[in-house]
Amino acid sequence: MTATCLTDVDDEKLERGARCMKMLAHPLRLKIVAVIGRGEATVGEILEATGTTQPNVSQHLGQMRDRGVLQARREGNQVFYRVRDPKLFDLLALIRELFCEPAHGAAR
C-alpha cells in the first residue's frame, strides 16, 4: 500500500481520519487505549495502570469519548470504557512496531 491510495478518498473522510490520529497523538491517550484493550476498563482500573491523577485521566477519557474513539456505559456508580472500533488496535500495533520495537526505536 502506498500513500497515493489516499488520493481517491474524499476530504471529509480524510478529515475524520486526521481527527482520530490527532486525538491519539498523546502518550497518555495511547496508554489509556492500551489499558482498555479489547475489553472494558473502569476509571479506577485506568488510574491504577497509568499512575496518573483522576482529573487527568477523566479529561482524556472525556475527550476521546466526545470524539468517538471510546464509548462509555454506566453500571451503578461505575463507568466502563471501551474502544469504539476494534480496528484501532491494528493502528496501535503498527505504531508499536514502528516506534516502540528495539530494532526500529534505535534508528529513529
Side-chain angles (χ1 to χ4, degrees), residues 19-61:
R19 281 193 312 265
C20 178
M21 291 174 67
K22 187 186 246 184
M23 180 52 42
L24 292 172
H26 190 285
L28 181 57
R29 291 186 199 131
L30 288 172
K31 191 179 242 185
I32 288 170
V33 170
V35 168
I36 294 170
R38 295 187 183 271
E40 292 183 320
T42 64
V43 175
E45 292 167 335
I46 296 167
L47 281 170
E48 185 177 321
T50 60
T52 190
T53 64
Q54 189 274 330
N56 195 17
V57 165
S58 292
Q59 177 184 13
H60 288 287
L61 287 170

Side-chain angles (χ1 to χ4, degrees), residues 32-105:
I32 288 170
V33 170
V35 168
I36 294 170
R38 295 187 183 271
E40 292 183 320
T42 64
V43 175
E45 292 167 335
I46 296 167
L47 281 170
E48 185 177 321
T50 60
T52 190
T53 64
Q54 189 274 330
N56 195 17
V57 165
S58 292
Q59 177 184 13
H60 288 287
L61 287 170
Q63 289 173 349
M64 288 191 290
R65 184 191 62 234
D66 292 346
R67 288 174 179 84
V69 175
L70 300 179
Q71 290 180 321
R73 71 174 178 86
R74 182 174 288 281
E75 190 174 296
N77 64 349
Q78 289 192 318
V79 179
F80 292 83
Y81 288 90
R82 69 181 183 90
V83 173
R84 184 184 62 79
D85 188 340
K87 289 184 225 165
L88 183 60
F89 295 108
D90 296 336
L91 176 60
L92 294 181
L94 184 58
I95 289 169
R96 181 179 180 95
E97 181 182 327
L98 288 172
F99 301 108
C100 303
E101 299 295 325
H104 292 92

